[in-house]
Amino acid sequence: MKDTNDWIKIYKGEIYMKIQIIGLGTVGTAQASLSQKFGHETVGYDPKYESHPYCKTNNGLIIDADITFICTPELVVPDVIEHLIEIGYKGLIVIKSTVPSGTTKTISQKFNAHICHNPEFLREKTNLEDVINPSRTVIGECCSEHGEMLKKFYEPLDRPIYVTDPDTSEIIKLVSNSFRAVTITFWNEIAILCNKKSVDVNEVSGMCDSAKLIGEWEGGNWGTRYFLQPYDGKCLPKDIRHLRDAFRSVDENPKLFDACEEFNNKLKNSKNLR
Ligand SMILES: NC(=O)c1ccc[n+]([C@@H]2O[C@H](COP(=O)([O-])OP(=O)(O)OC[C@H]3O[C@@H](n4cnc5c(N)ncnc54)[C@H](O)[C@@H]3O)[C@@H](O)[C@H]2O)c1
């Protein structure tokens, strides 16, 4: 794991930008802390906070930032971008929120604006550590010029950076969370079978390599360490729903994901199963 104090010495002054963070919750706080560590001038706006440990706060949005990261709940992302355009913002807009499939392209076309999508993969409980030690960064670029600018922002992390288009990066984020939801559900369902057959599910999962994936990385109390605990929290339930909506938008029936949600809801509602 990197020592973040080292970075400031190594990287401060190499590139210097004015960074605006909109929405200072779990994701925005982590993004502000990252920007500040890189030595950028970092300002933030969130109606909930008058002050913030990792950035200077403003009463509204500013128009002279080089990059603005939007870290609000996805429902308000279109309004925030509309407001930025209305006040004459000309810098790069980057959506970090987990938006429904197709959002970035639709908003870019509506406002004739350059917007990148840059999904966040951190865990809620360890947001500040995860943001400086990501397994990878994914950039859904609107154009190579802006993709390059965003790459420069993340280069000090010295981690893999994958560049793609926004449609793809949106799907990557939804798939990554849905994969977790399905795997958690997979093991919860296996636990029911094992219990009925008086087989120890811990022994089964312990001797299946794939079982290591879930539970260790997750911040929640689910996975192979917590059999029969439904997945929950702010992200997994809604992100698998966004993925199912994406299937439906192309007239497909996502049977696996529908079954996953149905089983998870059954677990949530039934004490007998747990
Ligand atoms: N929590 C996670 O672990 C996590 C991880 C990856 C991605 N995400 C995604 O990132 C997005 C944000 O999630 P979060 O967990 O940081 O949410 P959060 O609820 O912790 O924070 C969102 C913040 O946005 C602020 N906000 C709401 N409307 C605003 C507006 N119009 N202008 C400025 N600020 C506004 C709220 O006051 C709040 O503080 C979501 O799309 C989420 O799915 C979350």
Side-chain angles (χ1 to χ4, degrees), residues 12-127:
K12 191 169 180 178
E14 257 194 19
I15 44 163
Y16 178 80
M17 293 192 260
K18 188 164 186 177
I19 303 293
Q20 171 166 233
I21 317 280
I22 307 180
L24 294 167
T26 307
V27 171
T29 291
Q31 193 67 8
S33 79
L34 187 68
S35 170
Q36 200 191 54
K37 277 183 184 107
F38 288 162
H40 299 305
E41 181 182 352
T42 308
V43 297
Y45 169 67
D46 187 319
K48 248 196 208 165
Y49 300 102
E50 277 181 10
S51 64
H52 193 272
Y54 300 112
C55 60
K56 212 170 73 196
T57 48
N58 283 322
N59 287 333
L61 308 184
I62 58 161
I63 61 167
D64 62 342
D66 298 300
I67 305 182
T68 291
F69 289 103
I70 301 179
C71 307
T72 62
E74 55 268 28
L75 276 180
V76 301
V77 168
D79 289 347
V80 168
I81 293 178
E82 182 165 14
H83 188 45
L84 272 172
I85 308 274
E86 268 171 16
I87 61 176
Y89 176 77
K90 296 277 184 285
L92 172 59
I93 297 174
V94 180
I95 300 175
K96 282 209 74 68
S97 311
T98 308
V99 285
S101 171
T103 300
T104 309
K105 212 164 146 187
T106 305
I107 305 180
S108 302
Q109 282 167 354
K110 180 171 176 193
F111 298 114
N112 195 21
H114 277 241
I115 304 172
C116 289
H117 178 248
N118 166 218
E120 180 52 65
F121 299 103
L122 58 73
R123 293 165 296 180
E124 200 167 333
K125 287 182 184 160
T126 48
N127 60 340

Side-chain angles (χ1 to χ4, degrees), residues 16 29 44 71 82 86 97 119 124-126 134-135 139 142 171 177 217-218 223 236 250 256-257 259:
Y16 178 80
T29 291
C71 307
E82 182 165 14
E86 268 171 16
S97 311
E124 200 167 333
K125 287 182 184 160
T126 48
S135 57
I139 293 174
C142 48
I171 294 270
N177 270 357
W217 198 88
E218 291 298 327
L236 264 54
V250 290
L256 173 68
F257 302 107

Side-chain angles (χ1 to χ4, degrees), residues 16 80 84 87 106 145 153 155 159 224 244-245 261:
Y16 178 80
V80 168
L84 272 172
I87 61 176
T106 305
E145 192 190 324
F153 178 84
E155 266 167 7
R159 292 291 165 108
T224 48
R244 291 163 64 228
D245 290 346
E261 187 172 52

